[in-house]
Amino acid sequence: LFQWGELRKRVETLEAMLGSCTICPHDCGNNRLKDEIGRCYSGYLPIVSAYTPHFGEEPALVGTHGVGNIFFGNCNLRCVYCQNYLISQNHNEESKNQVTFERLADMMLELQGKGCHAIGFVSPTHFVPQIVRSVEMAARKGLALPLIYNTNAYDSVEVLRQLDGVIDIYLPDLKYGESDLAYEYSRIKDYPQCAKAAIREMHRQVGSDLVHGADGLVKRGL
């Protein structure tokens, strides 16, 4: 996609959606290009709380050198049980962790240089345009690892379609099958239908049969 110029088109399409934000199913309509804040408490620049070789993912992803996880700050859910609440629900502090697109691209390349087997975007939903823009920059400098989309599954199908061919491995959490529980514990009424539609789109892109490389690790799949 990078070589064909298609990745640049995806960046432009996704960034246009930030002008009246429809990046996730909340459809806040705020102008994040001008740093207007929506339900995710995020503006234009990406927020990165941490990035590191991570060994806590599925064994078929971790291998010997780990997944190069990039943990994004803030979130579009309000889960009362969140294990990362200091990152996801602490927007006043997280605003200090804004990075440029160039810096985000360099993080990916740094993790690749450390021998990580893949780049994992953790809680990426509210920063998809920013991620894809940075991926394009990193690809220009030699990024060649599989990309993992590690998400709460409250994703926009329209946005996910723009990730077709960009993301290699989808790692969604399906949290609820009932709307009343989704609202009680995460403050989202339409979670089940949105998450199911999102996972169907992920399946359309990569199927359900995991593709393994010569090293035995997953390179593509859901």
Side-chain angles (χ1 to χ4, degrees):
L1 296 179
F2 170 73
Q3 292 174 343
W4 300 338
E6 175 62 23
L7 195 55
R8 166 47 50 180
K9 294 178 182 178
R10 304 281 183 90
V11 172
E12 294 170 354
T13 298
L14 287 164
E15 286 202 335
M17 296 173 70
L18 288 171
S20 179
C21 193
T22 54
I23 293 302
C24 87
H26 284 308
D27 290 339
C28 291
N30 54 309
N31 188 347
R32 290 177 60 191
L33 296 174
K34 295 184 177 180
D35 270 335
E36 292 179 5
I37 303 300
R39 286 281 294 274
C40 64
Y41 291 106
S42 304
Y44 182 48
L45 288 178
I47 293 173
V48 175
S49 296
Y51 70 103
T52 185
H54 189 69
F55 294 86
E57 305 295 352
E58 285 74 4
L61 299 173
V62 169
T64 55
H65 296 290
V67 176
N69 271 353
I70 300 174
F71 295 87
F72 292 92
N74 300 338
C75 189
N76 62 342
L77 299 187
R78 297 289 178 269
C79 302
V80 297
Y81 48 78
C82 183
Q83 65 179 0
N84 290 328
Y85 73 96
L86 289 175
I87 294 174
S88 67
Q89 313 299 332
N90 196 17
H91 59 275
N92 288 330
E93 285 298 315
E94 285 303 304
S95 64
K96 301 173 185 177
N97 294 323
Q98 285 187 344
V99 297
T100 64
F101 302 108
E102 292 81 5
R103 179 64 186 128
L104 178 53
D106 287 342
M107 290 176 186
M108 301 177 202
L109 295 167
E110 184 178 332
L111 291 167
Q112 178 173 267
K114 290 182 176 181
C116 293
H117 303 288
I119 300 297
F121 302 122
V122 183
S123 299
T125 300
H126 49 303
F127 286 124
V128 170
Q130 295 88 339
I131 290 170
V132 177
R133 180 173 174 180
S134 296
V135 164
E136 186 199 24
M137 293 177 175
R140 186 177 297 114
K141 296 180 180 180
L143 181 68
L145 294 180
L147 303 181
I148 303 172
Y149 192 82
N150 188 339
T151 175
N152 60 35
Y154 193 61
D155 287 285
S156 160
V157 171
E158 183 180 359
V159 170
L160 289 174
R161 286 175 182 150
Q162 296 300 317
L163 295 178
D164 191 356
V166 178
I167 297 298
D168 302 285
I169 301 166
Y170 283 103
L171 194 60
D173 296 331
L174 182 59
K175 295 177 178 291
Y176 307 102
E178 300 178 22
S179 296
D180 57 341
L181 295 177
Y183 184 75
E184 181 176 358
Y185 295 113
S186 295
R187 290 294 179 261
I188 303 293
K189 292 181 178 180
D190 60 350
Y191 178 89
Q193 56 266 42
C194 289
K196 290 175 185 178
I199 292 173
R200 280 195 296 269
E201 173 58 22
M202 297 174 195
H203 180 269
R204 183 193 69 79
Q205 294 180 24
V206 299
S208 55
D209 294 328
L210 299 179
V211 177
H212 295 79
D215 57 3
L217 300 182
V218 173
K219 305 302 180 184
R220 179 176 172 85
L222 171 61

